[in-house]
């Protein structure tokens, strides 16, 4: 096989791949035209959770920041939405903008103490931060204490609009991670993950790179939180800042395959479809969910995508610049 | 090369198709509901709504079947089995469009969590395409179901939350409630306090949850109005608090003789033990919310005899279920015989639910959504709560009466209604027991 | 002033209980570097075991506690041998998910059997005070908690620092490869460590059951306390855990004294964060892990 031939077939493959991806996106965007209300409803959940999972993947899978505290940002998004629309009569667009500002500021503030911690200390530190925010909101009269707020303006949002919003978030989250990894920062991240000491010697700014990823993930999770609560429409501090969100992010990423872009896509789909299916087993659903998590990890410790990649060498979104085959 | 491309295509398409495949959905648990008969493009959530072509009435119930609130569901399965058997077998179903068809109930677990509660209610409406949606217990159940009601314009019945906090999400067009009112609740608690000889100093031990928050505003208003009371408020505490040292010291130093607490069961247990440690048992100790279930209250140390709270239903209500024709006392006694423990108050709510559902559906005579809604709003039916009608807030207000735990004859502890000012149908000449530290 | 002293004393006593909640996690955390999310649920599991056996064997809490310890050791063998040992070498995230899964399974199985009812281990010390004056109260329960917790932690510290068994455990914690070369079977050592952790957790289960009472799903609430106590004390330092417990307890109660009862818990967490910022390795943490 000549050099040229290999190249051209590689281009062809890239062409096929992007064609398929574009076709799938179009098919998904048109879902409101042919899908039922239930399909749209499930779609909202899948793509919202995809965005959450992909961002947690960026943190844990690529930046080595295993966080159990990013539910804080979901709660912040939820309460921004509630306060802006209920207390001040603002709109949804305004909620998104303000939530971004708050998310960036808050993640900058907490990054000072949090980035001093490493490894498991970071994991627990983020959780303690999140619990502190939860306690703060529970005791804050402005947000009606622990009694919660009804996001009444969200009652009448058409489901298709939410679906398209969630789809956009999901796609952007995948694209964002893809382009971050293809950029120079992506190289730094990989170097940092594989050997932090050597990377730093070679001039990778550990702190800055990590901080940028942290900011991006936190902001994006906050935006997703706003969208999720436009659907849920009733926010209480406990559930909004609950560890359940972190559990679902860990589930999606680890089951799908950590450190792969495809992993969270598979993981989010599995998680949401599984939760829907488990509504058929009221009272038993969490036992089954927990068992599935344990069994999958025992069978495929690198997640589903890790197992597929190990067997077939297949990657949908290759972040490596391929030299030659 | 080719194989990889096919894999890529497959991955993408499986994803798109699986979403589209949700059209039909799977059959819900419990009842063989025909979820699979839906064709594509049937957007049930659009205006007006399409009545599914079914041979039965389907009621979808988003309920806390697991998690902390599942305690409310203790009697539910028992009541549902009994009522469906009665309606479908003894009465031959409910007459809809001139034909008697059976009533079925499909459950979805809300896991005591609003996030799941919303997904559960959405699923019942869009996948199971139920005719009536139910959302129950605390704002988690009622407010999420009401939001779904407005979004999908489906007749929805909610119960088991304070009317005030449910209305916070209103005004509703498609939701009707059967909720107690915090003003009534606190009014009867205050009435207990006036019946005991004290110095009138009331210590508030309220947490920041919905009950504590609403309770604080309500009680200060009522006490101001009445006069003769003095409120000592150490400030709201957090439900995750492990210790009441500061609060109890403050109440003791201010010589409080009435305590009004509103807290969950573990906090109630801890608080009551710490009161004993401080050797500070005021003449009236009212702990609302955490003391509903006899088995839980029986585990308190020291003995909980004399503690007062607000019961949301009691078997001594002198009323009967119009559907069963059986008295409140009789139903509760039957439940106790079947289960070997003190009846839970949620029994009354579950029984009343079916009284109301049967009545509403019979009067509507159709499953058309506007007609069902209209029938809900004109409800006027005798239940185990007495006669219920819908008020201007779309709520069928049900009573909450001042109640005390006393030594029982059948169980170690039993309830005794000691104040029914807001609901004068109940005899309340029973003596009030002063709580004791010595056991 | 009286209330300040009372808050301080109550905080120290409460801290003893917190240390008992955290000490099992400290072992697992320090030796394996495992973020054991199931710790809280396992602790509550032991509370349920004690309750069941008290009922089954005529009310003797000591007998029930002894059986529970044996049972929890068996749980430890199963948990570590069949689940965690298989994933622990694969990085932090799979182990995180497995322990999450175990936690969810435990609390839901408990809920399946015991519902959402509130339980409490009968406590003969309720209402008895060791010191009972107008300006200070020391309840017997709280003092008992602190005493038991101190004894357990000192005993554990002795085992880890002074015995051959402890040395093997510490070797496995320090350097897995070197320990393997020296003929230490790290998998087996991990199993021992988990068993030891769960046995000490049952002490926490006993004290929590007698002091606070429990639900099937209370575990997650105690987990965050345990983690806080362990990281503040320093990973792998048993005495640090004790110190961490006291600090958290005192911070909460003094927070309540200075800022009102609502922020009691919040002040506790903020204190943890501030201390962590100042000492990222924990107060007594000297053991580092990769």
């Amino acid at each position: 096989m000549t050099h040229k031939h290999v190249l051209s077939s590689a281009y062809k493959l890239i062409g096929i791949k992007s064609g398929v991806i574009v076709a799938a996106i179009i098919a998904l965007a048109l879902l409101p035209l042919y899908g039922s209300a239930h399909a749209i409803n499930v779609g909202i959940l899948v793509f919202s959770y995809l965005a959450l999972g992909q961002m947690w993947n960026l943190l844990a899978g690529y930046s080595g920041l295993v966080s159990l505290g990013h539910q804080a940002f979901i709660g912040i998004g939820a309460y921004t939405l509630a306060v802006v629309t209920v207390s001040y009569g603002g709109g949804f667009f305004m909620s998104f903008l303000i939530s971004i500002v708050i998310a960036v500021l808050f993640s900058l503030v907490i990054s000072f103490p949090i980035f001093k911690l490493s490894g498991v200390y970071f994991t627990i530190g983020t959780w303690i931060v999140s619990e502190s925010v939860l306690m703060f909101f529970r005791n804050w009269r402005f947000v009606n204490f622990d009694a919660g707020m009804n996001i009444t303006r969200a009652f009448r949002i058409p489901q298709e609009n939410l679906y398209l919003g969630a789809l956009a978030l999901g796609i952007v989250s995948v694209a964002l991670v893809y382009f971050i990894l293809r950029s120079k920062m992506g190289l730094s991240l990989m170097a940092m993950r594989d050997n932090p000491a050597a990377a730093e010697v070679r001039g990778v700014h550990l702190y800055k790179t990590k901080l940028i990823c942290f900011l991006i993930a936190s902001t994006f999770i906050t935006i997703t939180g706003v969208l999720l609560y436009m659907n849920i429409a009733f926010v209480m501090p406990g559930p909004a800042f609950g560890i359940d969100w972190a559990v679902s992010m860990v589930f999606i990423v680890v089951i799908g395959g950590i450190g792969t872009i495809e992993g969270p896509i598979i993981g989010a789909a599995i998680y949401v479809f599984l939760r829907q299916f488990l509504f058929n087993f009221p009272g038993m659903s969490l036992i089954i969910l927990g068992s599935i998590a344990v069994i999958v990890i025992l069978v495929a410790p690198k997640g589903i995508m890790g197992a597929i990649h190990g067997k077939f060498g297949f990657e949908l979104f290759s972040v490596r610049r391929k030299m030659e085959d | 090369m080719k194989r990889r491309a096919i894999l890529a295509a497959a991955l993408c398409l499986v994803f798109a198709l699986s979403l589209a495949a949700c059209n039909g959905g799977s059959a819900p648990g419990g009842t063989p509901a025909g979820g699979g008969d839906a064709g594509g493009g049937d957007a049930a959530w659009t205006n007006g709504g399409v009545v599914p072509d079914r041979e039965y009435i389907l009621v979808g119930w988003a309920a806390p079947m697991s998690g902390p609130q599942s305690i409310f569901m203790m009697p539910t399965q028992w009541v549902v089995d009994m009522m469906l058997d009665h309606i479908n077998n003894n009465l031959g179903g409910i007459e809809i469009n001139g034909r008697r068809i059976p009533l079925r109930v499909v459950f979805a677990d809300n896991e005591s969590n609003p996030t799941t509660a919303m997904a559960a209610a959405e699923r019942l409406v869009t996948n199971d395409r139920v005719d009536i949606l139910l959302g129950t217990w605390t704002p988690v159940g009622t407010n999420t179901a009401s939001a779904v009601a407005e979004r999908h314009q489906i007749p929805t019945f909610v119960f088991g939350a304070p009317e005030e906090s449910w209305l916070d999400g209103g005004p509703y067009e498609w939701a009707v409630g059967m909720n107690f009112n915090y003003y009534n609740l606190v009014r009867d608690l205050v009435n207990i306090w006036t019946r005991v000889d004290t110095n009138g100093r009331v210590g508030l031990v309220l947490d920041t949850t919905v009950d504590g928050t609403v309770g604080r505003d309500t009680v200060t208003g009522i006490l101001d109005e009445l006069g003769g009371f003095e409120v000592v408020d150490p400030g709201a505490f957090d439900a995750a608090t492990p210790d009441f040292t500061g609060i109890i010291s403050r109440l003791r130093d201010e010589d409080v003789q009435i305590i009004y607490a509103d807290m969950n069961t573990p906090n109630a247990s801890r608080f009551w033990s710490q009161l004993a440690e401080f050797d500070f048992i005021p003449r009236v100790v009212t702990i609302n919310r955490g003391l509903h279930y006899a088995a839980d209250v029986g585990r308190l140390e020291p003995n909980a005899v004399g503690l007062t709270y607000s019961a949301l239903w009691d078997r001594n209500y002198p009323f009967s279920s119009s559907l069963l024709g059986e008295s409140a006392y009789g139903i509760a006694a039957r439940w106790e015989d079947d289960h070997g423990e003190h009846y839970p108050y949620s029994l009354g709510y579950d029984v009343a639910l079916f009284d109301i559902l049967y009545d509403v559906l019979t009067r509507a005579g159709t499953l058309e959504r506007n007609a069902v809604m209209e029938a809900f709003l004109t409800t006027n039916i005798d239940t185990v709560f007495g006669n219920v009608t819908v008020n201007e807030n779309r709520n069928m207000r049900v009573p909450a009466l001042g109640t005390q735990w006393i030594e029982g004859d059948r169980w170690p502890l039993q309830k005794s209604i000691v104040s029914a000012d807001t609901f004068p149908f109940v005899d309340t000449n029973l003596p009030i027991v002063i709580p004791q530290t010595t056991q | 002033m009286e209330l300040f002293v009372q808050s301080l004393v109550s905080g120290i006593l409460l801290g003893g209980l917190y240390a008992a909640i955290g000490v099992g996690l400290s072992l697992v955390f320090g030796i394996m570097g495992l973020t054991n999310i199931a710790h809280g649920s396992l602790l509550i599991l032991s509370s349920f075991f004690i309750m069941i056996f008290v009922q089954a064997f005529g009310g003797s809490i000591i007998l029930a506690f002894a059986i529970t310890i044996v049972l929890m050791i068996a749980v430890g063998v199963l948990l570590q041998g069949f689940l965690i040992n298989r994933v622990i070498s694969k990085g932090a995230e799979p182990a995180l998910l497995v322990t999450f899964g175990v936690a969810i399974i435990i609390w839901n199985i408990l809920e399946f059997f015991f519902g959402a009812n509130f339980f409490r281990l009968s406590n003969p010390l309720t209402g008895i005070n060791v010191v009972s004056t107008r300006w200070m109260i020391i309840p017997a329960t709280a003092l008992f908690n602190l005493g038991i917790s101190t004894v357990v932690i000192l005993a554990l510290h002795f085992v880890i620092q002074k015995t051959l068994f402890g040395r093997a455990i510490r070797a496995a914690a320090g350097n897995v490869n070197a320990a393997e070369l020296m003929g230490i079977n790290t998998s087996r050592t991990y199993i021992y460590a988990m068993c030891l952790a769960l046995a000490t957790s049952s002490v926490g289960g006993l004290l929590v059951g007698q002091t606070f009472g429990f639900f099937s799903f209370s575990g997650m609430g105690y987990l965050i306390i345990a983690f806080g106590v362990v990281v503040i004390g320093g990973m792998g330092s048993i005495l640090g855990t004790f110190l961490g417990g006291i600090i958290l307890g005192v911070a909460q109660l003094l927070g309540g004294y200075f800022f009102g009862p609502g922020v009691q818990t919040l002040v506790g967490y903020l204190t943890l964060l501030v201390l962590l910022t100042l000492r990222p390795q924990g107060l007594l943490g000297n053991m580092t892990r990769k």
Side-chain angles (χ1 to χ4, degrees), chain B residues 65-71 74 208 234-238 240-247 249-250 252-254 264-267 269-270 273-274 276-279 293 295-297 299-302 341 439, chain C residues 2-3 6-7 10 14 18 51 108 111 115-129 132-135 137 139-142 210-215 217 252-253 260-265:
Chain B
M65 306 177 82
S66 60
Q69 294 166 12
S70 62
I71 186 99
M74 253 161 82
T208 59
F237 68 93
D238 190 278
T241 205
D243 193 276
F244 296 94
T245 299
I247 294 175
S249 304
R250 171 87 192 276
R252 187 189 58 181
D253 295 346
E254 301 258 0
N264 59 26
T265 311
N267 282 347
S269 156
R270 175 79 172 144
S273 297
Q274 283 204 306
E277 283 165 4
F278 275 77
D279 196 17
Y293 292 90
D296 295 357
V297 179
R299 295 190 185 98
L300 257 57
E301 284 180 4
E341 59 179 313
Q439 294 174 49
Chain C
E2 292 128 40
L3 184 52
Q6 177 70 61
S7 299
S10 298
L14 183 65
Y18 284 171
M51 186 190 75
N108 281 283
E111 195 185 325
N117 273 104
F118 171 75
F119 296 96
R120 202 188 141 109
L121 298 175
S122 171
N123 185 353
L125 298 175
T126 303
I128 301 173
N129 287 339
S132 183
T133 61
R134 182 73 192 167
W135 53 275
I137 284 161
T141 312
Q210 287 189 334
T211 313
F212 295 127
F214 47 94
F215 284 114
F217 27 73
Q252 286 190 345
L253 271 275
V263 292
Q264 204 160 273
T265 330

Side-chain angles (χ1 to χ4, degrees), chain C residues 91-157:
Chain C
E93 299 86 2
L96 200 63
L97 185 61
V98 165
T99 52
F100 259 134
V102 171
I104 291 172
I105 292 169
I106 290 175
W107 99 59
N108 281 283
I109 287 179
L110 286 174
E111 195 185 325
F112 184 78
F113 286 108
F114 297 97
N117 273 104
F118 171 75
F119 296 96
R120 202 188 141 109
L121 298 175
S122 171
N123 185 353
L125 298 175
T126 303
I128 301 173
N129 287 339
V130 178
V131 175
S132 183
T133 61
R134 182 73 192 167
W135 53 275
M136 190 163 74
I137 284 161
I138 297 182
T141 312
L143 197 64
F144 177 75
N145 291 348
L146 180 67
I148 292 287
S149 155
T150 313
V151 169
V152 167
I153 282 172
L154 287 179
L156 205 57
H157 181 72

Side-chain angles (χ1 to χ4, degrees), chain B residues 242-263:
Chain B
D243 193 276
F244 296 94
T245 299
I247 294 175
I248 295 175
S249 304
R250 171 87 192 276
L251 299 184
R252 187 189 58 181
D253 295 346
E254 301 258 0
D255 190 27
V256 158
Q257 290 193 349
I258 300 165
I259 283 183
Y260 171 41
D262 203 315
M263 46 177 68

Side-chain angles (χ1 to χ4, degrees), chain B residues 279-349:
Chain B
D279 196 17
F280 173 62
I281 305 287
R283 291 178 63 77
V284 180
V285 181
T286 298
I287 304 183
N288 200 29
R289 180 151 60 94
L291 302 183
H292 277 302
Y293 292 90
D296 295 357
V297 179
R299 295 190 185 98
L300 257 57
E301 284 180 4
N303 192 331
V305 167
L307 292 182
T308 42
Y309 76 109
S310 179
L312 301 176
W313 183 73
D314 194 281
R315 68 177 176 189
N316 290 317
Y317 287 9
F319 306 112
S320 296
S321 154
S322 59
L323 189 57
L324 294 174
E326 191 178 7
S327 71
Y329 199 94
I331 297 171
R334 213 144 49 76
W335 194 89
E336 289 192 347
D337 290 341
D338 282 6
H339 293 82
E341 59 179 313
H342 193 291
Y343 72 96
Y345 80 89
S346 36
L347 180 63
Y349 276 81

